[in-house]
Amino acid sequence: CVLCGREDADPDIYGEKSQDNGVCTHENCLYLANGLSSRWARNNEVHNIRPEDVRWVVKQATRKICYVCGERGATIACQGKKCKRSFHFPCGCENGCISQFFGQYRSFCQEHRPAQTVQVHQDGQTSCIICLEHVEEKLSYQTMVCPSCRQAWFHRGCIQQQAFHAGLLCFRCPQCNDREKFLPEMSSLGVQVPARQPAWEAGAGFTDMYQRHSRCDASLCLYAQGREQAEEEGCSSCPAKGTHRCCSALKDSAATWECDDC
């Protein structure tokens, strides 16, 4: 990636890697680079950024030294008041910096990063609600809590993976199910919530749940063409099992039918 100088390709950390006219970039490096983040926020389309725009940012960054690794080419500047620190996106991730993937796509160094201010108290040892391992005794960069119920504690890495799997529409507190306070707080603290459908709906694992059943499962099928043939208006809408009207003695006026399992 010309913006961070790394070959890594983990999409959970860097976003998708792309190449355009010899310019290779990570998606997240594009989102957050100085001179590009404001354009992305305004246009809401990262693909509108041209290779020459990226080259210009890289040229400007040659004078910027990453305060984490000490190398030149730092394309991200801390937005803390009067802070002059710059860093590469992956260096910031490894050093506890925070980047926000909404609004103006701002980033903050370890000293100026936002922190949770909710008043909470732990009763004895508390476990992460996701991985069930112990969390720290107080709020920190790595240890977070739901701002709504104040009972659900979790590690940053655990809630980030939850966000990746749930997507924007389904991301919420895993304990109290709150979304109104939970989503804005987690996003402001650097948890990236992608605008995509939940992972459990993206694959083929749930395909059968969205298809009508086309086989008669009545104990005695009376349909002349057999169980595997669906009657034009006779099959139930039950996704698990089906029937012909005549096989379950359903009147023409019956609009629904439930199998024994339901």
Side-chain angles (χ1 to χ4, degrees), residues 25 29-30 34 48 76 79 84 86 92 123-124 128 139 151 167 179-180 194 196 198 221 246 257 259:
T25 57
C29 294
L30 273 177
N34 291 350
N48 286 339
I76 300 175
Q79 298 300 305
K84 297 182 179 180
S86 296
D123 294 325
C128 171
L139 293 171
Q151 299 296 318
R179 173 182 169 84
E180 185 176 352
R196 62 181 180 227
C221 179
C246 62
W257 169 82
C259 65

Side-chain angles (χ1 to χ4, degrees), residues 3 34 57-67 69-78 83-88:
L3 295 169
N34 291 350
V57 169
V58 172
K59 183 178 180 180
Q60 295 299 310
T62 55
R63 294 172 290 179
K64 301 289 186 179
I65 298 177
C66 175
Y67 89 98
C69 70
E71 299 292 332
R72 293 184 180 274
T75 58
I76 300 175
C78 174
C83 184
K84 297 182 179 180
R85 287 177 171 175
S86 296
F87 51 91
H88 302 106

